[in-house]
Amino acid sequence: MNEEELMYDDDAAVDFIYDFLDKDDRKALTKDDIQYVLDVIYDFYESEGLIQDDTAEAACIDEEKMFEFITKAAKKDNIALTDDLIDQILEGEYQYGLSIGIYSEEE
C-alpha cells in the first residue's frame, strides 16, 4: 500500500465512528465527543512514545492502559462518557483503521 492509502483523516474517522455507533448511542454523543476521544488517543500514543515524526509506530497497544487514560482524561475535562460509549468509540476507531489499512486483524 502506498502512503496516501494509509492517511488517517480525522473528519472521515469521526463520521465513520458516528455511523458505526448503535443508533441509541448516537443520541448520547456528539461528533465533538468522538473527536475528543480521538485527540486523547493521540495524546496516549504520544505519552507512550509511539509517535515519531507525526507517525505512529507499529506497536502492541495496551488497550486497558489506553482505556484508563481516556476515562481519566474525560473525567478531568468533565466530558460525560460512559465506559460503554468509550468502548464503542474505540471499536469504531479500530474498524476505521482496518478499513483504511493502518491496522491489521489481530491473529
Side-chain angles (χ1 to χ4, degrees), residues 6-72:
L6 298 179
M7 294 297 293
Y8 192 99
D9 180 316
D10 271 2
D11 292 334
V14 169
D15 289 340
F16 183 98
I17 295 165
Y18 187 79
D19 291 341
F20 176 82
L21 294 171
D22 181 87
K23 194 175 197 175
D24 292 332
D25 291 327
R26 285 186 215 145
K27 296 174 187 172
L29 286 172
T30 66
K31 289 186 177 184
D32 287 340
D33 294 329
I34 296 169
Q35 182 62 60
Y36 172 83
V37 172
L38 294 180
D39 291 343
V40 174
I41 291 170
Y42 184 87
D43 292 344
F44 174 77
Y45 289 163
E46 197 169 55
S47 74
E48 294 292 304
L50 301 172
I51 306 271
Q52 305 296 326
D53 299 323
D54 272 349
T55 61
E57 297 294 316
C60 220
I61 305 296
D62 183 337
E63 292 176 17
E64 188 174 315
K65 190 173 183 181
M66 181 170 62
F67 181 85
E68 290 172 11
F69 188 92
I70 294 166
T71 56
K72 185 186 246 184

Short mmCIF file of all heavy atoms in Angstrom, two decimals, residues 6-72:
data_model
loop_
_atom_site.label_atom_id
_atom_site.label_comp_id
_atom_site.label_asym_id
_atom_site.label_seq_id
_atom_site.Cartn_x
_atom_site.Cartn_y
_atom_site.Cartn_z
N LEU A 6 -2.78 5.14 3.38
CA LEU A 6 -2.70 4.97 4.82
C LEU A 6 -2.92 6.29 5.57
O LEU A 6 -2.69 6.35 6.76
CB LEU A 6 -1.34 4.38 5.20
CG LEU A 6 -1.05 3.00 4.63
CD1 LEU A 6 0.33 2.54 5.07
CD2 LEU A 6 -2.09 2.00 5.06
N MET A 7 -3.37 7.30 4.86
CA MET A 7 -3.58 8.60 5.51
C MET A 7 -4.82 8.55 6.41
O MET A 7 -5.89 8.16 5.98
CB MET A 7 -3.74 9.71 4.46
CG MET A 7 -2.49 9.96 3.66
SD MET A 7 -1.10 10.55 4.66
CE MET A 7 -1.68 12.15 5.15
N TYR A 8 -4.61 8.94 7.64
CA TYR A 8 -5.69 8.97 8.62
C TYR A 8 -6.35 10.33 8.53
O TYR A 8 -5.70 11.35 8.67
CB TYR A 8 -5.10 8.75 10.01
CG TYR A 8 -6.13 8.47 11.08
CD1 TYR A 8 -6.36 7.17 11.47
CD2 TYR A 8 -6.84 9.49 11.70
CE1 TYR A 8 -7.30 6.88 12.46
CE2 TYR A 8 -7.77 9.21 12.68
CZ TYR A 8 -7.99 7.91 13.06
OH TYR A 8 -8.91 7.62 14.03
N ASP A 9 -7.63 10.35 8.28
CA ASP A 9 -8.38 11.59 8.15
C ASP A 9 -9.33 11.70 9.34
O ASP A 9 -10.27 10.91 9.46
CB ASP A 9 -9.16 11.57 6.83
CG ASP A 9 -9.98 12.82 6.59
OD1 ASP A 9 -10.65 13.30 7.52
OD2 ASP A 9 -9.96 13.30 5.45
N ASP A 10 -9.06 12.66 10.23
CA ASP A 10 -9.88 12.80 11.45
C ASP A 10 -11.35 12.98 11.14
O ASP A 10 -12.20 12.37 11.79
CB ASP A 10 -9.39 13.97 12.31
CG ASP A 10 -8.31 13.57 13.30
OD1 ASP A 10 -7.90 12.39 13.31
OD2 ASP A 10 -7.90 14.44 14.08
N ASP A 11 -11.67 13.83 10.16
CA ASP A 11 -13.08 14.07 9.84
C ASP A 11 -13.76 12.79 9.35
O ASP A 11 -14.88 12.47 9.76
CB ASP A 11 -13.22 15.18 8.79
CG ASP A 11 -12.81 16.55 9.33
OD1 ASP A 11 -12.91 16.77 10.55
OD2 ASP A 11 -12.40 17.40 8.50
N ALA A 12 -13.06 12.07 8.48
CA ALA A 12 -13.62 10.80 7.98
C ALA A 12 -13.74 9.79 9.12
O ALA A 12 -14.72 9.04 9.19
CB ALA A 12 -12.74 10.25 6.86
N ALA A 13 -12.75 9.78 10.01
CA ALA A 13 -12.80 8.85 11.16
C ALA A 13 -13.98 9.17 12.05
O ALA A 13 -14.71 8.25 12.47
CB ALA A 13 -11.50 8.93 11.95
N VAL A 14 -14.21 10.44 12.34
CA VAL A 14 -15.34 10.83 13.19
C VAL A 14 -16.65 10.41 12.55
O VAL A 14 -17.51 9.82 13.21
CB VAL A 14 -15.32 12.35 13.48
CG1 VAL A 14 -16.62 12.81 14.12
CG2 VAL A 14 -14.13 12.71 14.37
N ASP A 15 -16.81 10.67 11.26
CA ASP A 15 -18.04 10.27 10.56
C ASP A 15 -18.21 8.75 10.56
O ASP A 15 -19.31 8.24 10.80
CB ASP A 15 -18.03 10.78 9.11
CG ASP A 15 -18.21 12.30 9.02
OD1 ASP A 15 -18.70 12.91 9.99
OD2 ASP A 15 -17.83 12.86 7.97
N PHE A 16 -17.12 8.03 10.31
CA PHE A 16 -17.16 6.56 10.29
C PHE A 16 -17.59 6.05 11.67
O PHE A 16 -18.47 5.19 11.77
CB PHE A 16 -15.78 6.01 9.92
CG PHE A 16 -15.74 4.51 9.80
CD1 PHE A 16 -15.83 3.90 8.56
CD2 PHE A 16 -15.59 3.70 10.92
CE1 PHE A 16 -15.78 2.52 8.44
CE2 PHE A 16 -15.55 2.31 10.82
CZ PHE A 16 -15.65 1.72 9.58
N ILE A 17 -16.96 6.56 12.72
CA ILE A 17 -17.26 6.10 14.08
C ILE A 17 -18.70 6.44 14.45
O ILE A 17 -19.42 5.61 15.01
CB ILE A 17 -16.26 6.70 15.09
CG1 ILE A 17 -14.86 6.16 14.81
CG2 ILE A 17 -16.70 6.41 16.53
CD1 ILE A 17 -13.75 6.95 15.49
N TYR A 18 -19.14 7.64 14.10
CA TYR A 18 -20.52 8.04 14.41
C TYR A 18 -21.52 7.09 13.75
O TYR A 18 -22.46 6.64 14.38
CB TYR A 18 -20.76 9.48 13.96
CG TYR A 18 -22.09 10.03 14.39
CD1 TYR A 18 -22.28 10.49 15.70
CD2 TYR A 18 -23.16 10.10 13.51
CE1 TYR A 18 -23.50 10.98 16.11
CE2 TYR A 18 -24.38 10.60 13.91
CZ TYR A 18 -24.55 11.05 15.21
OH TYR A 18 -25.78 11.53 15.62
N ASP A 19 -21.25 6.76 12.49
CA ASP A 19 -22.13 5.83 11.77
C ASP A 19 -22.02 4.41 12.33
O ASP A 19 -22.97 3.63 12.25
CB ASP A 19 -21.80 5.82 10.28
CG ASP A 19 -22.19 7.13 9.59
OD1 ASP A 19 -23.02 7.88 10.14
OD2 ASP A 19 -21.64 7.39 8.51
N PHE A 20 -20.86 4.05 12.88
CA PHE A 20 -20.63 2.73 13.44
C PHE A 20 -21.42 2.52 14.74
O PHE A 20 -21.83 1.40 15.05
CB PHE A 20 -19.12 2.55 13.71
CG PHE A 20 -18.75 1.26 14.38
CD1 PHE A 20 -18.62 0.10 13.63
CD2 PHE A 20 -18.54 1.21 15.75
CE1 PHE A 20 -18.27 -1.10 14.24
CE2 PHE A 20 -18.20 0.02 16.37
CZ PHE A 20 -18.06 -1.14 15.61
N LEU A 21 -21.64 3.59 15.48
CA LEU A 21 -22.31 3.50 16.79
C LEU A 21 -23.74 3.02 16.66
O LEU A 21 -24.41 3.28 15.67
CB LEU A 21 -22.31 4.86 17.48
CG LEU A 21 -20.97 5.43 17.89
CD1 LEU A 21 -21.14 6.88 18.35
CD2 LEU A 21 -20.33 4.59 18.98
N ASP A 22 -24.20 2.36 17.69
CA ASP A 22 -25.60 1.97 17.81
C ASP A 22 -26.45 3.24 17.74
O ASP A 22 -26.07 4.29 18.28
CB ASP A 22 -25.79 1.25 19.15
CG ASP A 22 -27.20 0.79 19.34
OD1 ASP A 22 -27.53 -0.32 18.89
OD2 ASP A 22 -27.98 1.55 19.96
N LYS A 23 -27.59 3.15 17.08
CA LYS A 23 -28.45 4.32 16.88
C LYS A 23 -28.77 5.04 18.20
O LYS A 23 -28.74 6.27 18.26
CB LYS A 23 -29.75 3.87 16.19
CG LYS A 23 -30.57 4.97 15.64
CD LYS A 23 -31.76 4.39 14.88
CE LYS A 23 -32.37 5.43 13.98
NZ LYS A 23 -33.43 4.88 13.14
N ASP A 24 -29.07 4.29 19.26
CA ASP A 24 -29.38 4.91 20.55
C ASP A 24 -28.17 5.62 21.14
O ASP A 24 -28.32 6.67 21.77
CB ASP A 24 -29.89 3.86 21.54
CG ASP A 24 -31.26 3.31 21.14
OD1 ASP A 24 -32.03 4.05 20.49
OD2 ASP A 24 -31.54 2.15 21.50
N ASP A 25 -26.98 5.08 20.92
CA ASP A 25 -25.78 5.70 21.46
C ASP A 25 -25.44 7.00 20.72
O ASP A 25 -24.81 7.89 21.31
CB ASP A 25 -24.60 4.73 21.41
CG ASP A 25 -24.78 3.60 22.40
OD1 ASP A 25 -25.38 3.83 23.48
OD2 ASP A 25 -24.34 2.48 22.10
N ARG A 26 -25.85 7.10 19.47
CA ARG A 26 -25.61 8.35 18.73
C ARG A 26 -26.31 9.52 19.41
O ARG A 26 -25.85 10.65 19.33
CB ARG A 26 -26.09 8.22 17.29
CG ARG A 26 -25.18 7.41 16.44
CD ARG A 26 -25.64 7.45 15.00
NE ARG A 26 -25.36 6.14 14.42
CZ ARG A 26 -26.09 5.54 13.53
NH1 ARG A 26 -27.18 6.11 13.07
NH2 ARG A 26 -25.76 4.36 13.08
N LYS A 27 -27.42 9.23 20.07
CA LYS A 27 -28.17 10.29 20.76
C LYS A 27 -27.40 10.79 21.99
O LYS A 27 -27.60 11.93 22.41
CB LYS A 27 -29.55 9.78 21.20
CG LYS A 27 -30.44 9.41 20.04
CD LYS A 27 -31.73 8.79 20.52
CE LYS A 27 -32.55 8.27 19.35
NZ LYS A 27 -33.70 7.49 19.78
N ALA A 28 -26.54 9.95 22.55
CA ALA A 28 -25.81 10.30 23.77
C ALA A 28 -24.47 11.00 23.47
O ALA A 28 -23.82 11.51 24.38
CB ALA A 28 -25.55 9.05 24.60
N LEU A 29 -24.08 11.01 22.21
CA LEU A 29 -22.78 11.57 21.81
C LEU A 29 -22.92 12.62 20.73
O LEU A 29 -23.84 12.57 19.94
CB LEU A 29 -21.90 10.45 21.23
CG LEU A 29 -21.29 9.45 22.16
CD1 LEU A 29 -20.64 8.34 21.34
CD2 LEU A 29 -20.27 10.08 23.06
N THR A 30 -21.95 13.49 20.70
CA THR A 30 -21.83 14.41 19.57
C THR A 30 -20.56 14.02 18.80
O THR A 30 -19.72 13.27 19.32
CB THR A 30 -21.68 15.88 20.03
OG1 THR A 30 -20.43 16.02 20.73
CG2 THR A 30 -22.84 16.29 20.94
N LYS A 31 -20.44 14.51 17.61
CA LYS A 31 -19.22 14.26 16.86
C LYS A 31 -18.03 14.91 17.56
O LYS A 31 -16.90 14.41 17.46
CB LYS A 31 -19.36 14.75 15.41
CG LYS A 31 -20.30 13.85 14.62
CD LYS A 31 -20.36 14.23 13.16
CE LYS A 31 -21.26 13.25 12.41
NZ LYS A 31 -21.26 13.52 10.96
N ASP A 32 -18.27 15.99 18.31
CA ASP A 32 -17.20 16.61 19.10
C ASP A 32 -16.70 15.67 20.19
O ASP A 32 -15.51 15.64 20.50
CB ASP A 32 -17.66 17.93 19.72
CG ASP A 32 -17.79 19.06 18.71
OD1 ASP A 32 -17.19 18.96 17.61
OD2 ASP A 32 -18.48 20.04 19.03
N ASP A 33 -17.61 14.88 20.78
CA ASP A 33 -17.21 13.89 21.79
C ASP A 33 -16.28 12.85 21.16
O ASP A 33 -15.28 12.44 21.77
CB ASP A 33 -18.42 13.18 22.38
CG ASP A 33 -19.32 14.08 23.20
OD1 ASP A 33 -18.82 15.05 23.81
OD2 ASP A 33 -20.54 13.81 23.24
N ILE A 34 -16.63 12.42 19.96
CA ILE A 34 -15.81 11.43 19.26
C ILE A 34 -14.44 12.04 18.94
O ILE A 34 -13.41 11.40 19.16
CB ILE A 34 -16.51 10.92 17.99
CG1 ILE A 34 -17.80 10.17 18.38
CG2 ILE A 34 -15.58 10.04 17.16
CD1 ILE A 34 -18.72 9.85 17.22
N GLN A 35 -14.43 13.27 18.46
CA GLN A 35 -13.16 13.94 18.15
C GLN A 35 -12.32 14.08 19.42
O GLN A 35 -11.10 13.90 19.40
CB GLN A 35 -13.39 15.31 17.52
CG GLN A 35 -12.11 16.03 17.13
CD GLN A 35 -11.32 15.26 16.09
OE1 GLN A 35 -11.81 15.01 15.00
NE2 GLN A 35 -10.10 14.88 16.42
N TYR A 36 -12.97 14.37 20.55
CA TYR A 36 -12.26 14.46 21.82
C TYR A 36 -11.54 13.14 22.12
O TYR A 36 -10.35 13.14 22.47
CB TYR A 36 -13.24 14.81 22.95
CG TYR A 36 -12.60 14.72 24.31
CD1 TYR A 36 -11.86 15.78 24.82
CD2 TYR A 36 -12.71 13.56 25.08
CE1 TYR A 36 -11.24 15.69 26.05
CE2 TYR A 36 -12.08 13.46 26.31
CZ TYR A 36 -11.35 14.52 26.80
OH TYR A 36 -10.72 14.43 28.01
N VAL A 37 -12.24 12.02 21.98
CA VAL A 37 -11.63 10.72 22.26
C VAL A 37 -10.47 10.46 21.30
O VAL A 37 -9.40 9.99 21.71
CB VAL A 37 -12.67 9.58 22.22
CG1 VAL A 37 -11.98 8.21 22.33
CG2 VAL A 37 -13.69 9.74 23.33
N LEU A 38 -10.62 10.80 20.02
CA LEU A 38 -9.52 10.62 19.07
C LEU A 38 -8.31 11.46 19.48
O LEU A 38 -7.17 10.99 19.39
CB LEU A 38 -9.97 11.00 17.65
CG LEU A 38 -11.03 10.10 17.01
CD1 LEU A 38 -11.36 10.60 15.60
CD2 LEU A 38 -10.59 8.65 16.98
N ASP A 39 -8.55 12.67 19.95
CA ASP A 39 -7.45 13.53 20.41
C ASP A 39 -6.75 12.92 21.62
O ASP A 39 -5.53 12.95 21.72
CB ASP A 39 -7.96 14.93 20.75
CG ASP A 39 -8.40 15.73 19.53
OD1 ASP A 39 -8.03 15.35 18.39
OD2 ASP A 39 -9.12 16.72 19.71
N VAL A 40 -7.54 12.35 22.53
CA VAL A 40 -6.96 11.72 23.72
C VAL A 40 -6.19 10.46 23.34
O VAL A 40 -5.13 10.18 23.92
CB VAL A 40 -8.04 11.44 24.79
CG1 VAL A 40 -7.46 10.67 25.97
CG2 VAL A 40 -8.67 12.74 25.28
N ILE A 41 -6.67 9.72 22.35
CA ILE A 41 -5.93 8.55 21.87
C ILE A 41 -4.56 9.00 21.35
O ILE A 41 -3.53 8.39 21.66
CB ILE A 41 -6.70 7.79 20.76
CG1 ILE A 41 -7.94 7.10 21.35
CG2 ILE A 41 -5.80 6.78 20.05
CD1 ILE A 41 -8.90 6.54 20.31
N TYR A 42 -4.54 10.08 20.59
CA TYR A 42 -3.28 10.62 20.08
C TYR A 42 -2.37 11.01 21.24
O TYR A 42 -1.17 10.72 21.24
CB TYR A 42 -3.54 11.82 19.16
CG TYR A 42 -2.30 12.37 18.52
CD1 TYR A 42 -1.82 11.85 17.32
CD2 TYR A 42 -1.59 13.41 19.12
CE1 TYR A 42 -0.66 12.34 16.74
CE2 TYR A 42 -0.43 13.90 18.54
CZ TYR A 42 0.03 13.37 17.35
OH TYR A 42 1.17 13.85 16.78
N ASP A 43 -2.94 11.67 22.27
CA ASP A 43 -2.17 12.04 23.45
C ASP A 43 -1.59 10.80 24.13
O ASP A 43 -0.45 10.82 24.61
CB ASP A 43 -3.02 12.82 24.46
CG ASP A 43 -3.44 14.19 23.96
OD1 ASP A 43 -2.84 14.70 22.98
OD2 ASP A 43 -4.39 14.76 24.55
N PHE A 44 -2.39 9.74 24.19
CA PHE A 44 -1.92 8.49 24.78
C PHE A 44 -0.73 7.94 24.00
O PHE A 44 0.29 7.57 24.58
CB PHE A 44 -3.05 7.45 24.84
CG PHE A 44 -2.58 6.10 25.30
CD1 PHE A 44 -2.34 5.86 26.64
CD2 PHE A 44 -2.38 5.07 24.40
CE1 PHE A 44 -1.88 4.62 27.07
CE2 PHE A 44 -1.93 3.83 24.81
CZ PHE A 44 -1.68 3.59 26.16
N TYR A 45 -0.88 7.87 22.68
CA TYR A 45 0.21 7.36 21.85
C TYR A 45 1.48 8.19 22.08
O TYR A 45 2.57 7.65 22.19
CB TYR A 45 -0.15 7.41 20.36
CG TYR A 45 -1.19 6.42 19.91
CD1 TYR A 45 -1.84 6.58 18.69
CD2 TYR A 45 -1.54 5.29 20.66
CE1 TYR A 45 -2.79 5.68 18.25
CE2 TYR A 45 -2.48 4.39 20.23
CZ TYR A 45 -3.10 4.59 19.02
OH TYR A 45 -4.05 3.68 18.58
N GLU A 46 1.32 9.51 22.15
CA GLU A 46 2.44 10.40 22.36
C GLU A 46 3.08 10.16 23.74
O GLU A 46 4.30 10.07 23.85
CB GLU A 46 1.97 11.85 22.23
CG GLU A 46 3.07 12.85 22.02
CD GLU A 46 2.51 14.20 21.64
OE1 GLU A 46 1.66 14.74 22.37
OE2 GLU A 46 2.94 14.71 20.59
N SER A 47 2.24 9.98 24.76
CA SER A 47 2.76 9.77 26.12
C SER A 47 3.49 8.44 26.25
O SER A 47 4.37 8.29 27.08
CB SER A 47 1.63 9.85 27.15
OG SER A 47 0.82 8.68 27.12
N GLU A 48 3.13 7.49 25.39
CA GLU A 48 3.76 6.17 25.41
C GLU A 48 4.97 6.10 24.46
O GLU A 48 5.56 5.03 24.30
CB GLU A 48 2.74 5.09 25.02
CG GLU A 48 1.62 4.92 26.02
CD GLU A 48 2.11 4.34 27.34
OE1 GLU A 48 2.71 3.26 27.33
OE2 GLU A 48 1.88 5.00 28.38
N GLY A 49 5.28 7.22 23.81
CA GLY A 49 6.42 7.23 22.90
C GLY A 49 6.16 6.51 21.59
O GLY A 49 7.09 6.05 20.93
N LEU A 50 4.88 6.42 21.20
CA LEU A 50 4.53 5.69 19.98
C LEU A 50 4.41 6.59 18.77
O LEU A 50 4.14 6.11 17.67
CB LEU A 50 3.21 4.94 20.19
CG LEU A 50 3.22 3.92 21.33
CD1 LEU A 50 1.82 3.37 21.56
CD2 LEU A 50 4.20 2.80 21.04
N ILE A 51 4.61 7.88 18.95
CA ILE A 51 4.53 8.83 17.84
C ILE A 51 5.94 9.36 17.57
O ILE A 51 6.59 9.89 18.45
CB ILE A 51 3.61 10.03 18.17
CG1 ILE A 51 2.25 9.57 18.63
CG2 ILE A 51 3.57 11.02 17.02
CD1 ILE A 51 1.23 9.37 17.56
N GLN A 52 6.39 9.16 16.35
CA GLN A 52 7.70 9.66 15.93
C GLN A 52 7.50 10.42 14.63
O GLN A 52 6.96 9.87 13.68
CB GLN A 52 8.68 8.50 15.71
CG GLN A 52 8.85 7.58 16.89
CD GLN A 52 9.46 8.26 18.10
OE1 GLN A 52 10.29 9.15 17.97
NE2 GLN A 52 9.01 7.86 19.28
N ASP A 53 7.93 11.66 14.59
CA ASP A 53 7.79 12.47 13.38
C ASP A 53 6.37 12.45 12.84
O ASP A 53 6.12 12.26 11.65
CB ASP A 53 8.77 12.02 12.28
CG ASP A 53 10.21 12.14 12.72
OD1 ASP A 53 10.54 13.11 13.44
OD2 ASP A 53 11.01 11.27 12.35
N ASP A 54 5.38 12.59 13.74
CA ASP A 54 3.96 12.64 13.39
C ASP A 54 3.42 11.35 12.79
O ASP A 54 2.38 11.35 12.15
CB ASP A 54 3.64 13.80 12.46
CG ASP A 54 3.34 15.07 13.23
OD1 ASP A 54 3.17 14.99 14.46
OD2 ASP A 54 3.25 16.13 12.60
N THR A 55 4.10 10.23 13.00
CA THR A 55 3.55 8.95 12.57
C THR A 55 3.59 7.99 13.75
O THR A 55 4.52 8.04 14.54
CB THR A 55 4.33 8.34 11.39
OG1 THR A 55 5.67 8.12 11.79
CG2 THR A 55 4.27 9.23 10.16
N ALA A 56 2.60 7.17 13.84
CA ALA A 56 2.57 6.17 14.91
C ALA A 56 3.39 4.96 14.49
O ALA A 56 3.31 4.51 13.36
CB ALA A 56 1.13 5.76 15.20
N GLU A 57 4.19 4.48 15.40
CA GLU A 57 4.98 3.29 15.14
C GLU A 57 4.10 2.05 15.29
O GLU A 57 3.16 2.05 16.07
CB GLU A 57 6.13 3.20 16.16
CG GLU A 57 7.13 4.34 16.08
CD GLU A 57 7.90 4.33 14.78
OE1 GLU A 57 8.35 3.26 14.35
OE2 GLU A 57 8.05 5.40 14.19
N ALA A 58 4.41 1.03 14.54
CA ALA A 58 3.71 -0.24 14.71
C ALA A 58 4.08 -0.77 16.09
O ALA A 58 5.26 -0.89 16.42
CB ALA A 58 4.13 -1.23 13.62
N ALA A 59 3.09 -1.01 16.90
CA ALA A 59 3.37 -1.44 18.27
C ALA A 59 2.16 -2.19 18.81
O ALA A 59 1.06 -2.08 18.30
CB ALA A 59 3.65 -0.22 19.14
N CYS A 60 2.43 -2.90 19.87
CA CYS A 60 1.36 -3.57 20.59
C CYS A 60 0.82 -2.54 21.59
O CYS A 60 1.56 -2.02 22.42
CB CYS A 60 1.93 -4.78 21.31
SG CYS A 60 0.86 -6.19 21.25
N ILE A 61 -0.44 -2.21 21.47
CA ILE A 61 -1.05 -1.20 22.34
C ILE A 61 -1.69 -1.89 23.54
O ILE A 61 -2.44 -2.85 23.38
CB ILE A 61 -2.14 -0.40 21.58
CG1 ILE A 61 -1.57 0.21 20.29
CG2 ILE A 61 -2.77 0.65 22.46
CD1 ILE A 61 -0.51 1.24 20.47
N ASP A 62 -1.38 -1.38 24.73
CA ASP A 62 -2.02 -1.87 25.95
C ASP A 62 -3.40 -1.22 26.00
O ASP A 62 -3.55 -0.07 26.42
CB ASP A 62 -1.17 -1.50 27.17
CG ASP A 62 -1.73 -2.04 28.47
OD1 ASP A 62 -2.96 -2.32 28.54
OD2 ASP A 62 -0.94 -2.17 29.42
N GLU A 63 -4.40 -1.97 25.52
CA GLU A 63 -5.75 -1.41 25.40
C GLU A 63 -6.34 -1.01 26.74
O GLU A 63 -7.05 -0.01 26.83
CB GLU A 63 -6.65 -2.40 24.67
CG GLU A 63 -6.27 -2.58 23.22
CD GLU A 63 -7.09 -3.63 22.51
OE1 GLU A 63 -8.16 -4.02 23.02
OE2 GLU A 63 -6.65 -4.06 21.43
N GLU A 64 -6.04 -1.77 27.79
CA GLU A 64 -6.56 -1.44 29.11
C GLU A 64 -5.95 -0.12 29.61
O GLU A 64 -6.65 0.73 30.14
CB GLU A 64 -6.25 -2.57 30.10
CG GLU A 64 -6.92 -2.38 31.44
CD GLU A 64 -6.71 -3.59 32.35
OE1 GLU A 64 -6.87 -4.73 31.87
OE2 GLU A 64 -6.41 -3.37 33.53
N LYS A 65 -4.66 0.04 29.39
CA LYS A 65 -3.98 1.27 29.79
C LYS A 65 -4.52 2.47 29.00
O LYS A 65 -4.74 3.54 29.55
CB LYS A 65 -2.47 1.11 29.57
CG LYS A 65 -1.64 2.21 30.16
CD LYS A 65 -0.16 1.86 30.04
CE LYS A 65 0.71 2.91 30.68
NZ LYS A 65 2.14 2.59 30.54
N MET A 66 -4.77 2.26 27.71
CA MET A 66 -5.32 3.34 26.88
C MET A 66 -6.73 3.70 27.35
O MET A 66 -7.07 4.87 27.46
CB MET A 66 -5.33 2.95 25.40
CG MET A 66 -5.86 4.07 24.50
SD MET A 66 -5.63 3.79 22.73
CE MET A 66 -6.58 2.32 22.45
N PHE A 67 -7.54 2.69 27.65
CA PHE A 67 -8.90 2.92 28.13
C PHE A 67 -8.86 3.74 29.42
O PHE A 67 -9.60 4.71 29.58
CB PHE A 67 -9.61 1.58 28.35
CG PHE A 67 -11.03 1.73 28.82
CD1 PHE A 67 -12.04 1.92 27.90
CD2 PHE A 67 -11.35 1.70 30.17
CE1 PHE A 67 -13.36 2.07 28.32
CE2 PHE A 67 -12.65 1.85 30.60
CZ PHE A 67 -13.66 2.03 29.68
N GLU A 68 -7.99 3.36 30.35
CA GLU A 68 -7.86 4.10 31.62
C GLU A 68 -7.40 5.53 31.38
O GLU A 68 -7.87 6.47 32.04
CB GLU A 68 -6.88 3.38 32.55
CG GLU A 68 -7.44 2.08 33.09
CD GLU A 68 -6.41 1.27 33.87
OE1 GLU A 68 -5.31 1.78 34.17
OE2 GLU A 68 -6.72 0.10 34.16
N PHE A 69 -6.49 5.72 30.43
CA PHE A 69 -6.01 7.06 30.08
C PHE A 69 -7.17 7.93 29.58
O PHE A 69 -7.31 9.09 29.97
CB PHE A 69 -4.91 6.93 29.00
CG PHE A 69 -4.19 8.20 28.67
CD1 PHE A 69 -3.02 8.54 29.33
CD2 PHE A 69 -4.65 9.05 27.67
CE1 PHE A 69 -2.32 9.70 29.01
CE2 PHE A 69 -3.98 10.21 27.34
CZ PHE A 69 -2.81 10.55 28.02
N ILE A 70 -8.01 7.34 28.74
CA ILE A 70 -9.16 8.08 28.18
C ILE A 70 -10.17 8.41 29.28
O ILE A 70 -10.65 9.54 29.35
CB ILE A 70 -9.82 7.29 27.04
CG1 ILE A 70 -8.86 7.17 25.85
CG2 ILE A 70 -11.13 7.95 26.60
CD1 ILE A 70 -9.28 6.14 24.81
N THR A 71 -10.50 7.43 30.11
CA THR A 71 -11.50 7.69 31.16
C THR A 71 -11.00 8.74 32.14
O THR A 71 -11.77 9.59 32.58
CB THR A 71 -11.90 6.40 31.92
OG1 THR A 71 -10.75 5.77 32.46
CG2 THR A 71 -12.64 5.44 31.01
N LYS A 72 -9.73 8.71 32.46
CA LYS A 72 -9.15 9.70 33.38
C LYS A 72 -9.20 11.10 32.76
O LYS A 72 -9.57 12.07 33.41
CB LYS A 72 -7.71 9.32 33.71
CG LYS A 72 -7.06 10.21 34.75
CD LYS A 72 -5.59 9.85 34.90
CE LYS A 72 -5.33 9.30 36.26
NZ LYS A 72 -3.90 9.01 36.49
#
